[in-house]
Amino acid sequence: MRIATWNVNSITARLPRLLAWLESSGTDVLCVQETKCGREAFPFEPLRELGYQAAVNADGRWNGVALLSRVGIEDVVTGLPGGPEYEGVQEPRAISATCGPARVWSVYVPNGREIGHPHYEYKLRWLAALNEAVAQDAAGERPFAVLGDYNIAPTDEDVWDTAAFEGATHVTDPEREALAALRASGLGDVVPRPLKYAHPFTYWDYRQLCFPKNRGMRIDLVYGNTPFAKAVTDSYVDREERKGKGASDHAPVVVDLALEAP
DNA sequence: ATGTCGGGAAATTCCCGA
């Protein structure tokens, strides 16, 4: 079974590439982030025609997550139970479901903006709530993974230049400690292989030729429990999808598993 | 093979978020 995660930066803007990629990659389950549309604008129909069911948590111009599956979607939980609010609202940043043999989450962790910004404190509270919400499944026997845009580079190796991130979010100790807490709950970082260059970056800013210069970051992560990790046969970043016209600023992370899709 | 992009308000250009 093939599971992937991809921050598409608007599912409506990305729709032609998304549909083509689903077909060419043969992905069974895709965790989507930054749909940037409301439910009413979500492209259920073209996805259905390709054989994918969709579970969606999206409410407008920002954020938004989804699960696309051609191996079933059951027991959908919309949102992060016990999750914090930002400026009085629970933003659409999480959705989970059982897709065939695995339980999966699609998450879009708050960006944080700047150290000390209210959004940064929100990011840390959000991650603490996530850890609580997944603890039971993380320790369970069923293959389980939390996939998505974490907006955190787990190590210094996961940014193109540590000096460029001095005093910035995505690399701070409290953010990395939040990832360590997930690992302590039984989830491991499924590190993909790069298709080119030394590091499996998943995101390159649109600006300043970051992609051709490979000024990237690894912030799209797959955190899986032991039964999930044991089933992994391969994982890679599909950087081809970052190329050309109409690309997202993130590339898909693909995970192949020795699990039978029903 | 590429020097931002996307959405949306107000609107054919700015603003925000990333």
Side-chain angles (χ1 to χ4, degrees):
Chain A
M1 189 166 81
R2 174 163 279 184
I3 300 183
T5 181
W6 191 10
N7 179 325
V8 295
N9 187 17
S10 170
I11 198 167
T12 52
R14 213 63 56 217
L15 191 60
R17 286 186 71 134
L18 171 64
L19 296 174
W21 185 80
L22 283 170
E23 275 208 300
S24 65
S25 66
T27 296
D28 295 302
V29 178
L30 179 63
C31 303
V32 181
Q33 300 86 38
E34 283 208 82
T35 57
K36 285 187 166 177
C37 67
R39 276 197 75 82
E40 71 293 344
F42 193 88
F44 289 102
E45 189 51 31
L47 289 165
R48 196 192 59 75
E49 285 171 13
L50 271 188
Y52 292 87
Q53 295 171 274
V56 178
N57 183 11
D59 65 6
R61 73 187 290 200
W62 306 122
N63 314 312
V65 289
L67 286 164
L68 312 180
S69 175
R70 62 180 191 185
V71 295
I73 295 194
E74 314 216 334
D75 300 322
V76 174
V77 176
T78 302
L80 171 57
E85 296 183 342
Y86 189 71
E87 296 180 340
V89 275
Q90 277 218 10
E91 297 172 320
R93 294 181 175 275
I95 192 163
S96 53
T98 302
C99 300
R103 179 93 190 154
V104 297
W105 285 63
S106 175
V107 298
Y108 178 47
V109 176
N111 175 288
R113 299 189 187 156
E114 294 168 20
I115 297 168
H117 192 285
H119 209 260
Y120 178 78
E121 305 303 325
Y122 167 58
K123 180 180 196 174
L124 297 177
R125 290 201 310 278
W126 201 93
L127 287 160
L130 177 66
N131 195 17
E132 283 224 1
V134 304
Q136 193 171 333
D137 280 324
E141 296 300 315
R142 176 173 53 178
F144 174 77
V146 182
L147 304 92
D149 179 356
Y150 282 69
N151 273 312
I152 303 170
T155 74
D156 285 350
E157 294 293 296
D158 296 311
V159 296
W160 60 275
D161 178 13
T162 53
F165 291 88
E166 196 110 4
T169 61
H170 294 56
V171 298
T172 67
D173 288 340
E175 290 166 287
R176 287 176 172 170
E177 283 159 13
L179 293 181
L182 288 173
R183 293 194 295 272
S185 293
L187 299 177
D189 189 348
V190 178
V191 181
R193 60 187 170 87
L195 294 186
K196 191 179 178 185
Y197 304 124
H199 301 290
F201 296 148
T202 65
Y203 162 83
W204 301 260
D205 198 301
Y206 282 126
R207 293 166 287 190
Q208 295 163 328
L209 287 172
C210 280
F211 181 60
K213 292 176 177 171
N214 199 33
R215 295 180 173 179
M217 309 172 73
R218 184 171 78 94
I219 56 175
D220 299 273
L221 309 176
V222 177
Y223 267 51
N225 70 356
T226 303
F228 185 95
K230 279 186 171 166
V232 173
T233 57
D234 190 19
S235 181
Y236 63 92
V237 182
D238 189 355
R239 71 186 298 282
E240 295 301 309
E241 211 33 66
R242 181 61 180 79
K243 295 181 178 178
K245 196 171 163 56
S248 171
D249 42 1
H250 297 250
V253 178
V254 177
V255 183
D256 286 327
L257 298 144
L259 296 173
E260 285 308 309

